[in-house]
Amino acid sequence: MTLNEVVEYCHSLEGVFERRPFGPQPLVMCVPPRKGFCDIYEKTEPLHIVVKTTPLEAAFLRMSYPCVKPGYHCNKKYWNSIYLDGSLPDEMIKQMILKSYTLVLKAK
């Protein structure tokens, strides 16, 4: 997925808005009131995003896919960095973003 595709997909989810609470990086996709569910590091090569998941799934994804690492600047138990290097199908990335969105919405 490209940067524009990630941003567009995030905006397709209900109530999503953008913030930059930490300066120019990352672009944080949020749900009200201001809960981030997808951090987008636009200037990295490859592009990378950070999304929330369950502890069990976080560990499974890291063991299964080299492009999935512990979440950058996040609680590594719940958050994964996904490096968009072309090795994961777009639908899988969208599923991970949607899962993060759903988990953050439930937590508010």
Side-chain angles (χ1 to χ4, degrees), residues 53-63 68 76-80:
T53 190
T54 64
L56 188 61
E57 188 172 23
F60 171 77
L61 290 168
R62 291 175 202 161
M63 289 187 313
V68 179
K76 278 118 177 88
K77 182 176 180 182
Y78 297 99
W79 295 83
N80 276 341

Side-chain angles (χ1 to χ4, degrees), residues 3 10 68 74:
L3 170 63
C10 288
V68 179
C74 293

Side-chain angles (χ1 to χ4, degrees), residues 5-105:
E5 289 169 333
V6 171
V7 171
E8 187 176 300
Y9 179 71
C10 288
H11 278 296
S12 76
L13 304 171
E14 187 176 342
V16 172
F17 62 95
E18 300 176 11
R19 291 185 62 224
R20 291 188 186 270
F22 310 111
Q25 290 288 320
L27 171 61
V28 180
M29 305 307 284
C30 298
V31 293
R34 290 176 14 174
K35 301 266 188 175
F37 70 93
C38 182
D39 295 353
I40 304 170
Y41 289 86
E42 306 159 281
K43 306 241 188 272
T44 60
E45 186 58 42
L47 173 70
H48 105 264
I49 62 174
V50 180
V51 293
K52 188 171 189 176
T53 190
T54 64
L56 188 61
E57 188 172 23
F60 171 77
L61 290 168
R62 291 175 202 161
M63 289 187 313
S64 301
Y65 303 99
C67 66
V68 179
K69 308 282 185 207
Y72 181 69
H73 281 283
C74 293
N75 183 331
K76 278 118 177 88
K77 182 176 180 182
Y78 297 99
W79 295 83
N80 276 341
S81 285
I82 316 297
Y83 290 85
L84 306 184
D85 61 4
S87 63
L88 293 178
D90 290 357
E91 283 308 310
M92 186 174 184
I93 296 165
K94 288 178 182 179
Q95 288 173 356
M96 288 190 265
I97 293 170
L98 180 59
K99 175 142 194 167
S100 180
Y101 170 84
T102 304
L103 288 169
V104 170
L105 267 181

